[in-house]
Amino acid sequence: MQRAETLQALIRERGKQGKPLERVYRMLFNPELYLVAYAKLYGNDGAMTPGTDGETVDGMSLDKINGIIEQLRHERYRWSPTRRVYIPKKNGKKRPLSLPSWSDKLVQEVMRMILAAYYEPQFADNSHGFREGRGPHNALRDIRETWKGTNWFIEGDSKGCFDNGRPFGCHMTGQ
């Protein structure tokens, strides 16, 4: 089994070269990736928030990781339903939030790591949305330093896009 760093470097190189990424599902069988994912997730505020099964980061062990991998290997892994909570917004309304089980969070993070390693080298340098180490402040800095002749920008927000379970029912609002 390859070390997580080696595997991610190989995936990243395939992404840089524009080569197809093959046998992605088999990569989910690498326990090293789960240890890296665990290290990224265990310190998050939500790590101790239970999903519908009551599972939290406290129950994590190498046996648990090996059990998840065995379920994936034999195509028996089943996603758990998420727990839905509503968190207050500044305007007094509430925003829906879905809380997955700890195992689901872990598998999702491993999948995210694999896909990010492949696609990150292909993204434009001026793309900042939902990328590790990038965000609105990086975008604003780039605008200030690069877009000297620009007088105005239009910013939008997909308001309530997933509130009704119909992602194609989204509508944009200008700010």
Side-chain angles (χ1 to χ4, degrees), residues 102-158:
W102 171 254
S103 293
D104 288 355
K105 284 181 196 177
L106 192 64
V107 174
Q108 288 169 10
E109 178 59 20
V110 170
M111 292 168 64
R112 189 206 61 76
M113 289 167 34
I114 292 168
L115 295 174
Y118 182 73
Y119 287 108
E120 186 64 31
Q122 299 176 36
F123 290 145
D125 204 35
N126 60 355
S127 172
H128 294 276
F130 303 101
R131 292 174 68 190
E132 197 167 326
R134 294 177 183 241
H137 291 97
N138 303 97
L140 289 171
R141 184 197 64 232
D142 285 359
I143 288 168
R144 185 181 67 238
E145 294 173 3
T146 308
W147 299 64
K148 302 284 186 199
T150 304
N151 293 324
W152 53 273
F153 288 91
I154 298 174
E155 187 260 345
D157 184 26
S158 38

Side-chain angles (χ1 to χ4, degrees), residues 13-91:
E13 191 57 36
R14 288 192 79 78
K16 279 183 192 172
Q17 295 174 7
K19 292 182 178 176
L21 188 59
E22 298 169 342
R23 300 182 181 181
V24 177
Y25 191 76
R26 298 185 102 212
M27 293 178 196
L28 295 175
F29 306 160
N30 187 330
E32 288 263 332
L33 291 174
Y34 291 84
L35 295 174
V36 173
Y38 170 79
K40 286 185 177 194
L41 295 175
Y42 84 94
N44 292 355
D45 292 338
M48 290 301 294
T49 305
T52 52
D53 60 359
E55 186 182 43
T56 67
V57 68
D58 278 348
M60 186 46 50
S61 67
L62 287 175
D63 287 339
K64 179 88 171 163
I65 289 172
N66 290 329
I68 291 170
I69 291 170
E70 278 306 303
Q71 288 178 342
L72 287 165
R73 181 171 285 144
H74 298 290
E75 298 181 8
R76 289 192 315 256
Y77 187 85
R78 298 291 174 254
W79 300 98
S80 301
T82 58
R83 185 165 64 97
R84 184 75 138 191
V85 296
Y86 292 87
I87 57 175
K89 293 169 51 175
K90 289 180 185 176
N91 64 4

